Amino acid sequence: MKNIIKAQCYQLKKEKLLMIICVAVLLMQLIMMFNFFEESPQYMCDEFILQNGFEIVVDIVGIVGIVVGKLCCQDFDDKTGSYELLFGHSRFQVYMARVLTSMLVAMVAAIFIVAVPVVIAVQMRGWYGLIPINEIVLRVILMFLVLIRVISVF
């Protein structure tokens, strides 16, 4: 199963479209952040998170769908899944390798898309203290539980 995970990671490393989509979503988040601070200069970073948290989660669910689709459904074109079964791997190993790789890559992309705008916003405006940091961490952890559920559905 470890070799299947390595092969999936190698396949994703060569996939340029996925990287372009992730960068486009990150740029979209950054543009949304800059527009929010331009329209309301009195707000701090925690207000940005409170008011735009839903849009961030929707974008992340879209990225998760694309990552899972690329990892699990792309092999129908080139029959990689059939070759993995022919080389002696069980269906369970092939399935679990794809699920674990999907979860790993989707979680890394989600962390990156959530963290970069928040870190830049904190550097630009600071943290007012309307919401404690531990509540934001709790919300991010709960978001990851929802993402695991979405990955399982896909």
Side-chain angles (χ1 to χ4, degrees):
M1 188 160 77
K2 188 169 104 176
N3 290 335
I4 299 171
I5 293 173
K6 283 182 186 178
Q8 290 294 316
C9 290
Y10 179 76
Q11 195 175 27
L12 277 178
K13 195 170 23 173
K14 296 295 181 183
E15 186 69 38
K16 293 185 194 270
L17 181 64
L18 185 65
M19 295 302 289
I20 291 171
I21 291 172
C22 286
V23 168
V25 169
L26 181 64
L27 287 175
M28 190 170 59
Q29 293 293 326
L30 290 174
I31 289 170
M32 184 175 67
M33 179 193 67
F34 288 129
N35 284 341
F36 177 78
F37 286 140
E38 185 178 310
E39 290 172 2
S40 51
Q42 73 274 13
Y43 287 150
M44 303 294 262
C45 178
D46 47 356
E47 283 102 356
F48 166 71
I49 293 171
L50 280 175
Q51 293 185 7
N52 294 322
F54 180 72
E55 288 88 6
I56 294 171
V57 172
V58 168
D59 292 340
I60 289 174
V61 169
I63 287 292
V64 165
I66 292 169
V67 166
V68 173
K70 279 290 191 187
L71 281 173
C72 296
C73 300
Q74 187 178 12
D75 293 334
F76 288 114
D77 291 338
D78 59 1
K79 304 222 185 262
T80 306
S82 299
Y83 294 141
E84 290 169 354
L85 292 173
L86 286 174
F87 282 117
H89 299 289
S90 68
R91 290 180 187 265
F92 180 75
Q93 286 178 338
V94 172
Y95 175 75
M96 286 309 293
R98 292 184 191 285
V99 167
L100 291 175
T101 308
S102 297
M103 284 189 186
L104 178 71
V105 171
M107 294 300 169
V108 168
I111 289 171
F112 189 69
I113 291 172
V114 168
V116 169
V118 170
V119 168
I120 291 174
V122 167
Q123 293 297 320
M124 285 176 51
R125 296 293 176 104
W127 194 270
Y128 180 67
L130 188 62
I131 316 172
I133 299 285
N134 59 355
E135 288 187 21
I136 295 294
V137 171
L138 178 67
R139 290 179 188 194
V140 169
I141 290 171
L142 292 175
M143 179 191 68
F144 286 130
L145 294 176
V146 170
L147 288 179
I148 290 171
R149 168 78 177 176
V150 169
I151 290 169
S152 300
V153 168
F154 283 139

